[in-house]
Amino acid sequence: MRPALESFTPDDVIHFAENLGQACFTGTSGKIFPVGLKATQLLRAWLRRLRERGVAFQYRTHWCGFGDGGTILFAHEGAVAAQKPDAVLLALGGASWPRTGSDGAWTRYFQPDMLNPFAPANCGFRAALSPAFFSKHEGAVLKSVTAHFEGRKSRGDITVTKNGLEGAPIYALSAPLRQRITSQGAAELRIDLRPIMSMDQSRENVARLRPRESQSNHLRRLGLSPVARGLFQEAWFDHRDGLDLATALHNVPVRLEQPADMARAISVAGGVRQAAVDSGFMLRQRPGVFVAGEMLDWEAPTGGYLLQACFSTGYLAALSVEKWLTRHAG
Ligand SMILES: Cc1cc2nc3c(=O)[nH]c(=O)nc-3n(C[C@H](O)[C@H](O)[C@H](O)COP(=O)(O)OP(=O)(O)OC[C@H]3O[C@@H](n4cnc5c(N)ncnc54)[C@H](O)[C@@H]3O)c2cc1C
């Protein structure tokens, strides 16, 4: 990815947007947003620019594989036609959110040895919590908690789904979590329910609790939301581990057993293998056919990194197309 990211950097994305009349600003998280906070204005301005430059769009047209003699096949209004372009750049996406058209069906037109299988990325996970927990807390949000796994951590809101957990902190750790589940059948995530509080502060708070009161009351007095109390109590029963209450509040273990469905994942791992393309993202087995975006096998957390990788691979692939045309087109 490095050559791609260096050929079209995060600053280039900002300049690209600003050049299209969409000023950007840096949010408190350090992420960059268009001032209008909407992608539609940028998209409209971009399409207008492309039309002005003579780009022809053909909608309701489906690429359906490679034909004979270097042709590619398109289905349009029920008819399949072959075309022989000077170069092709495919950007057909991954296999998550199929309702947007990115269903990964293009893989059937590729040799199996050119592909790594798709796996959900930036996804939620099925969690080993009780049915009672899910029926009571589905849809509830654990606000501003920190998820820890393998020495990495990520802070934000975690939402309870019908059988698991999802949200930015889990998405950010989804690659190592998925790999651990694949190799060992499960992964233990630790959730810090009070990340802004130091352990000493938590111990002081716990020391002030009345010993005779129930644990539920203690948790309520410590300011935990109903869903945080529910999660803590499930973990406390299973993994007491001799931890004192204050320590346990910063270390709630949750066993994750399976990534959520690919169709609900924000992105995918897998796709066209690195070995199947050259340094300019041209398919080694199909000279003149280039690939960019999520079709390629790379993985990144959400927060702009995915879009950056799509812009950067698209840009580098387009430069390679330009070089290819200079060398080969008549
Ligand atoms: C809900 C959601 C939220 C996201 N949020 C973020 C975020 O905050 N930050 C971030 O960086 N990324 C985010 N992403 C990820 C980002 O949107 C994708 O990584 C990126 O759009 C992928 O771009 P792409 O051009 O490779 O593919 P896509 O955007 O998937 O586009 C592929 C296109 O190809 C079309 N297509 C597929 N097969 C064919 C065919 N055979 N013939 C013709 N057309 C075909 C599809 O219809 C689709 O229009 C989010 C994704 C989702 C689903």
Side-chain angles (χ1 to χ4, degrees), residues 31-324:
K31 291 177 190 162
I32 316 287
F33 300 91
V35 168
L37 285 174
K38 281 193 183 141
T40 40
Q41 289 162 348
L42 177 64
L43 182 61
R44 279 201 201 108
W46 189 4
L47 289 172
R48 207 176 311 119
R49 169 80 52 88
L50 291 171
R51 282 197 190 95
E52 284 163 11
R53 291 187 175 178
V55 174
F57 292 86
Q58 191 167 323
Y59 298 105
R60 290 180 292 282
T61 302
H62 204 78
W63 174 69
C64 48
F66 301 101
D68 295 332
T71 58
I72 55 165
L73 307 176
F74 285 107
H76 179 64
E77 294 180 347
V80 175
Q83 289 184 13
K84 194 165 181 193
D86 294 326
V88 181
L89 203 171
L90 297 171
L92 305 172
S96 62
W97 283 60
R99 77 180 94 145
T100 61
S102 313
D103 56 9
W106 54 264
T107 51
R108 75 182 73 151
Y109 309 122
F110 280 69
Q111 306 280 7
D113 66 350
M114 295 164 84
L115 305 172
N116 282 329
F118 284 129
N122 291 294
C123 56
F125 287 83
R126 185 187 283 261
L129 296 163
S130 72
F133 173 82
F134 289 118
S135 68
K136 193 164 174 195
H137 298 293
E138 182 183 350
V141 179
L142 290 156
K143 283 278 187 197
S144 202
V145 295
T146 299
H148 293 258
F149 185 67
E150 282 184 343
R152 292 164 66 176
K153 62 180 178 175
S154 178
R155 173 125 178 249
D157 295 349
I158 294 180
T159 303
V160 178
T161 64
K162 70 173 188 306
N163 57 14
L165 301 175
E166 67 179 19
I170 299 207
Y171 299 159
L173 301 172
S174 62
L177 287 168
R178 191 188 64 235
Q179 281 149 12
R180 174 69 63 84
I181 290 171
T182 305
S183 63
Q184 297 184 17
E188 191 179 271
L189 185 75
R190 296 256 161 182
I191 298 180
D192 183 343
L193 294 173
R194 322 177 91 203
I196 49 165
M197 216 166 260
S198 70
M199 192 66 81
D200 284 346
Q201 284 172 311
S202 284
R203 288 208 176 100
E204 277 171 30
N205 290 167
V206 168
R208 274 191 233 116
L209 296 169
R210 293 183 203 143
R212 282 203 198 146
E213 278 187 343
S214 67
Q215 189 190 64
S216 301
N217 271 344
H218 284 168
L219 297 176
R220 209 171 282 122
R221 285 193 196 285
L222 290 168
L224 262 59
S225 65
V227 61
R229 296 202 297 270
L231 184 73
F232 181 83
Q233 281 174 321
E234 292 239 341
W236 185 260
F237 279 124
D238 287 348
H239 301 268
R240 218 171 283 210
D241 289 348
L243 293 182
D244 63 280
L245 180 58
T247 312
L249 288 167
H250 291 276
N251 275 290
V252 180
V254 181
R255 188 181 151 90
L256 302 180
E257 298 183 321
Q258 207 186 323
D261 284 351
M262 191 122 69
R264 278 181 65 95
I266 301 274
S267 64
V268 289
V272 176
R273 296 174 57 202
Q274 191 180 346
V277 291
D278 69 7
S279 59
F281 300 125
M282 184 172 79
L283 293 174
R284 291 184 192 281
Q285 290 186 24
R286 298 217 173 251
V289 179
F290 298 76
V291 178
E294 233 186 281
M295 284 182 85
L296 289 161
D297 182 13
W298 50 266
E299 199 172 343
T302 51
Y305 301 99
L306 294 157
L307 286 172
Q308 176 70 49
C310 292
F311 273 108
S312 296
T313 55
Y315 187 82
L316 184 58
L319 289 182
S320 311
V321 168
E322 200 174 36
K323 279 190 209 141
W324 171 263

